[in-house]
Amino acid sequence: MRSTFPPVDFPLYGLPADPQLPGRLWNVEGELGAPTWALWWCFGRVAEPTHGEVWVQVGCLPRERHARVMTPRGGDPVREVAFAATFALTNATLPSEIERPDGYLDRVVDFAGRRADGYERWTDVTWRVDGRAVPARLVRWAGAWAGFTTAAADVDLVAVGHGLDGAHLSLVELADTSALLVDHRPTIVVDDDVERGLETDSRQDDDDTHGGWPLHPDHGDVVRGS
């Protein structure tokens, strides 16, 4: 099945070019045929978020459209940006089915929502966006981290990662995304063949054996309702 989205009409940001952290398209959020409200990259040499490896996911959320979709009846649009971060964090650190606590999947989305509700209590950090120091908020959980900044023009930026210091993240606008396996100007087409191609990208390590995130004490917070 081919999933088609119109050309991206907002700035895209990612990590500065680094041969040790190749990037690729990770996810596109939206209704088919309509402008996307979030586009995600993944930077790293593994096909999936893997404990012990260096990887960063970067989400670019067009501010006005994302707020319009996520808060149609009003509300706090920044909380929805924080939720994008916590949901991605809990998804990236999902334990294997064997180790997963009972009831985990039934409760993890509510847990991500509660953590997003308290975004004002997250750690204040400083990121750099196109070389400019900007305020950001960061939360650490299960051995990984998630954060966001609303200081870029036109887009809110979310990042989730492991093995790289999330408190001093640097992001740059990507004028040319050809190195990330997609050009954001033509129509985006996501289908099974493209996804398989990304997972078997020759730049990734051949011995990737991702089988779920190692069980961490923080995972117990989900089922305890913390």
Side-chain angles (χ1 to χ4, degrees):
M1 184 179 78
R2 297 173 68 83
S3 303
T4 305
F5 297 89
V8 174
D9 56 358
F10 51 88
L12 295 175
Y13 287 80
L15 298 188
D18 183 342
Q20 298 304 312
L21 291 172
R24 62 198 179 280
L25 179 66
W26 179 253
N27 191 26
V28 181
E29 298 180 33
E31 297 180 358
L32 298 184
T36 175
W37 59 71
L39 188 146
W40 290 77
W41 309 113
C42 186
F43 296 86
R45 302 193 67 87
V46 289
E48 299 284 343
T50 303
H51 190 272
E53 299 288 346
V54 180
W55 54 268
V56 179
Q57 298 171 345
V58 178
C60 307
L61 287 52
R63 183 170 295 119
E64 291 186 6
R65 183 179 304 140
H66 191 264
R68 194 164 57 244
V69 170
M70 298 300 169
T71 56
R73 297 178 179 82
D76 181 2
V78 178
R79 185 268 181 196
E80 301 308 316
V81 176
F83 178 74
T86 56
F87 183 78
L89 176 61
T90 56
N91 201 37
T93 57
L94 185 68
S96 68
E97 187 174 356
I98 295 175
E99 294 188 310
R100 199 176 299 157
D102 291 341
Y104 190 88
L105 292 182
D106 295 332
R107 303 179 184 182
V108 67
V109 176
D110 287 342
F111 171 79
R114 291 194 301 274
R115 283 300 171 96
D117 290 341
Y119 74 86
E120 292 182 337
R121 297 189 297 275
W122 293 12
T123 303
D124 291 324
V125 298
T126 300
W127 287 357
R128 302 195 77 84
V129 175
D130 285 336
R132 180 172 61 93
V134 300
R137 295 184 185 270
L138 190 80
V139 62
R140 301 182 189 276
W141 192 76
W145 53 263
F148 70 90
T149 182
T150 60
D154 301 322
V155 292
D156 296 323
L157 301 175
V158 177
V160 178
H162 172 75
L164 193 73
D165 185 6
H168 300 94
L169 192 67
S170 291
L171 300 171
V172 295
E173 185 173 357
L174 304 172
D176 177 10
T177 56
S178 59
L180 300 179
L181 309 182
V182 63
D183 186 337
H184 70 270
R185 300 191 185 283
T187 300
I188 295 175
V189 178
V190 181
D191 59 25
D192 291 342
D193 289 336
V194 171
E195 291 176 359
R196 280 195 296 270
L198 299 180
E199 291 176 0
T200 58
D201 177 12
S202 61
R203 296 173 302 182
Q204 299 165 2
D205 291 336
D206 293 334
D207 61 349
D208 176 44
T209 55
H210 177 71
W213 198 258
L215 194 63
H216 189 282
D218 286 348
H219 289 124
D221 294 345
V222 173
V223 292
R224 287 192 297 267
S226 302

